[in-house]
């Protein structure tokens, strides 16, 4: 069974993610829309978007894995699929993260061309070529060219303030963080057979790690183990575990009565928000610091958002309003990658709208239109079979 609410919630979140990611091109953006700074005890609108996406990843995991099981896939084959998706997210996230700190003057072809080729390489490797009209004999060649491009881009890369750095893991990037959260939750769901108690304990464990890390009781590991620090800190995978838990609770209680499921989930959401607000004086609300209060509040928002969207989309069947943005929910990675082609092309062309269109509320409206155009182009590509698939 596939819930329309999850696809629509994912689509809305992706549109908002593209929108807030475009704020760097604007001036005079209202503070309440922006990310809070590292030392602020504050929750901006932008600080909710990424946690919500992690939560939606968790909502989808039980449906995706059980669908594969129903098709007769073995646990080992599903685990391999999970590992391939995790590695793909890590690799793409690794390149996108290094793009952020690339040193333009030090790169042989410049940062903009480097980024264009990086995006093209990702497309060549991860497009689901079987769904396109391209003859099958060319598919391996496209992927080989994409892989060769990625290697070439790694060789010529220069990063850091003076271009002295090669590609390295400063952090895993947005997609890499999603990859770690997806890996840990998917494997545990798979091998626990979706046991509700196991997932509940997993969610509690990640929340506990977040608290212990915040208190300095658990510290990030050194050496090779530092690459696994996302799991040690607990915050990122906790959002996804909350999504898995929400789906399992919904399935358990809605089987008898839908209102019972709504009441249980509403209680979970409200309690999380209350815990976040109560503990705010202790830890503060901070996305940058990954505080337990931020984790609790955003988890609660995710649970309540699921109830709202499920009622609208799956109960009342109010889905037509989301038709235009639906590609952002079904071709999410494609949608996410398009701006990485647009921004460097715009930079190379020296294109910039008049200042009035990059300022304040007018700029926000123009930026939102840009997000919708990205979704429209994603839909155009998807209808022709060109969709990134991990």
């Amino acid at each position: 069974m596939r819930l329309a609410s999850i696809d629509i919630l994912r689509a809305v979140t992706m549109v908002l993610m593209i929108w807030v990611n475009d704020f760097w091109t604007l001036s005079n953006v209202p503070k309440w829309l922006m990310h809070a700074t590292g030392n602020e005890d504050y929750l901006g609108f932008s600080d909710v978007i990424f946690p919500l996406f992690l939560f939606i990843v968790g909502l989808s995991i039980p449906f995706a894995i059980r669908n594969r099981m129903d098709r007769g896939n073995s646990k080992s084959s599903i685990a391999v699929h999970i590992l391939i998706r995790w590695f793909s997210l890590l690799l793409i996230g690794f390149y996108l993260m290094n793009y952020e700190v690339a040193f333009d003057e030090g790169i042989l072809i410049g940062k903009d061309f480097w980024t264009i080729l990086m995006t093209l390489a990702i497309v060549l490797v991860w497009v689901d070529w079987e769904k396109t009209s391209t003859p099958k004999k060319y598919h391996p060649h496209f992927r080989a060219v994409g892989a060769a491009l990625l290697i070439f881009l790694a060789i010529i890369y220069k990063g850091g303030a003076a271009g002295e750095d090669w590609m390295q893991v400063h952090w895993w990037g947005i997609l890499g963080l999603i990859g770690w959260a997806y890996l840990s939750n998917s494997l545990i769901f798979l091998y626990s057979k979706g046991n509700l108690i196991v997932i509940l304990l997993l969610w509690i464990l990640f929340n506990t790690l977040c608290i212990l890390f915040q208190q300095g009781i658990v510290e990030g590991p050194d050496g090779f183990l530092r690459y696994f620090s996302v799991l040690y800190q607990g915050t990122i995978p906790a959002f996804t575990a909350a999504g898995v838990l929400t789906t399992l609770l919904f399935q358990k209680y809605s089987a008898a009565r839908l209102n019972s499921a709504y009441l249980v989930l509403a209680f979970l959401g409200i309690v999380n928000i209350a815990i976040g607000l109560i503990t705010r004086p202790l830890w503060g609300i901070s996305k940058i610091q990954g505080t337990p209060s931020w984790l609790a509040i955003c988890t609660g928002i995710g649970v309540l958002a699921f109830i709202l969207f499920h009622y609208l989309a799956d109960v009342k069947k109010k889905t037509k309003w989301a038709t235009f943005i639906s590609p952002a929910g079904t071709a999410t990675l494609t949608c996410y990658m398009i701006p990485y082609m647009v921004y460097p092309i715009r930079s190379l062309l020296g294109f910039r709208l008049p200042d009035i269109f990059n300022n304040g509320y007018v700029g926000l409206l123009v930026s939102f239109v840009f997000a919708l155009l990205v979704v429209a182009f994603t839909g155009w590509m998807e209808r022709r079979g060109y969709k990134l698939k991990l």
Side-chain angles (χ1 to χ4, degrees):
M1 181 181 69
R2 189 182 184 102
L3 296 180
S5 50
I6 295 179
D7 285 337
I8 293 175
L9 183 55
R10 187 188 301 111
V12 170
T13 305
M14 178 51 58
V15 171
L16 293 176
M17 186 178 290
I18 295 170
W19 185 45
V20 302
N21 285 349
D22 194 57
F23 286 174
W24 68 274
T25 67
L26 308 177
S27 56
N28 297 319
V29 176
K31 179 178 173 56
W32 68 271
L33 283 173
M34 299 288 286
H35 288 292
T37 60
N39 297 322
E40 276 189 299
D41 172 17
Y42 183 76
L43 184 69
F45 177 78
S46 297
D47 295 324
V48 180
I49 306 304
F50 181 50
L52 187 56
F53 193 86
L54 288 166
F55 178 81
I56 296 166
V57 170
L59 287 176
S60 304
I61 284 173
F63 294 102
I65 291 180
R66 285 173 176 164
N67 183 49
R68 286 184 171 272
M69 287 180 168
D70 291 343
R71 296 206 307 261
N73 292 3
S74 66
K75 281 188 179 180
S76 58
S77 66
I78 297 173
V80 169
H81 173 74
I82 291 169
L83 288 169
I84 291 173
R85 295 192 77 186
W86 161 73
F87 180 77
S88 298
L89 285 166
L90 242 61
L91 183 61
I92 299 172
F94 175 70
Y95 272 83
L96 295 181
M97 176 270 301
N98 277 279
Y99 145 78
E100 295 174 0
V101 294
F103 185 68
D104 183 48
E105 291 83 359
I107 297 178
L108 179 65
I109 57 177
K111 180 177 179 177
D112 289 331
F113 275 119
W114 189 92
T115 309
I116 290 171
L117 290 179
M118 174 198 70
T119 309
L120 176 61
I122 290 170
V123 169
L124 289 172
V125 173
W126 280 283
V127 156
D128 187 5
W129 291 106
E130 285 70 23
K131 298 291 179 64
T132 70
S133 58
T134 309
K136 288 186 177 181
K137 63 180 180 179
Y138 296 123
H139 299 173
H141 301 297
F142 290 147
R143 293 195 171 99
V145 170
L149 260 179
L150 289 175
I151 295 171
F152 168 72
L153 294 172
I155 292 172
I156 67 170
Y157 178 86
K158 297 292 181 181
E164 73 280 6
D165 297 332
W166 192 61
M167 296 181 74
Q168 55 187 284
V169 180
H170 303 284
W171 64 296
W172 283 112
I174 294 297
L175 293 184
L177 296 180
I178 293 172
W180 283 111
Y182 167 77
L183 175 74
S184 54
N185 282 277
S186 294
L187 288 180
I188 291 173
F189 180 89
L190 175 65
Y191 285 103
S192 71
K193 299 179 181 179
N195 185 281
L196 177 60
I197 300 301
V198 172
I199 298 302
L200 175 62
L201 292 175
L202 178 67
W203 177 62
I204 293 172
L205 171 63
F206 284 137
N207 277 269
T208 302
L209 285 172
C210 176
I211 294 171
L212 294 177
F213 191 85
Q214 190 68 30
Q215 293 296 109
I217 298 173
V218 172
E219 297 182 357
D222 296 323
F224 176 75
L225 290 178
R226 74 182 185 277
Y227 297 121
F228 300 86
S229 61
V230 176
L231 302 180
Y232 281 82
Q233 294 174 19
T235 311
I236 298 300
F239 286 120
T240 302
V244 179
L245 179 63
T246 296
T247 291
L248 294 183
L249 287 172
F250 174 78
Q251 291 174 334
K252 176 180 173 63
Y253 288 98
S254 65
R257 191 162 177 260
L258 182 59
N259 285 345
S260 298
Y262 283 167
L263 286 173
V264 170
L265 294 181
F267 177 78
L268 178 65
I270 292 169
V271 166
N272 268 275
I273 292 174
I275 289 173
L277 295 174
I278 291 169
T279 60
R280 180 179 182 180
L282 181 61
W283 295 306
I285 302 171
S286 174
K287 175 189 176 183
I288 302 300
Q289 299 174 42
T291 63
S293 302
W294 172 66
L295 168 59
I297 290 172
C298 292
T299 296
I301 291 172
V303 176
L304 296 179
F306 170 72
I307 297 173
L308 174 62
F309 276 77
H310 183 272
Y311 179 75
L312 288 175
D314 294 301
V315 176
K316 292 298 183 180
K317 307 300 181 182
K318 304 292 186 182
T319 58
K320 288 185 178 179
W321 64 272
T323 301
F324 181 78
I325 64 169
S326 62
T330 55
T332 310
L333 183 58
T334 310
C335 194
Y336 184 79
M337 288 303 305
I338 288 172
Y340 287 95
M341 184 67 80
V342 174
Y343 290 135
I345 291 176
R346 190 171 68 181
S347 175
L348 287 169
L349 295 176
F351 175 80
R352 180 175 172 81
L353 292 171
D355 288 342
I356 189 175
F357 297 115
N358 301 300
N359 187 53
Y361 287 103
V362 174
L364 288 170
L365 178 60
V366 172
S367 183
F368 192 73
V369 170
F370 167 71
L372 294 179
L373 289 174
V374 168
V375 173
F377 184 67
T378 301
W380 181 82
M381 291 181 63
E382 186 179 24
R383 288 191 294 273
R384 284 153 181 77
Y386 294 95
K387 172 182 173 180
L388 297 181
K389 182 181 179 181
L390 301 181

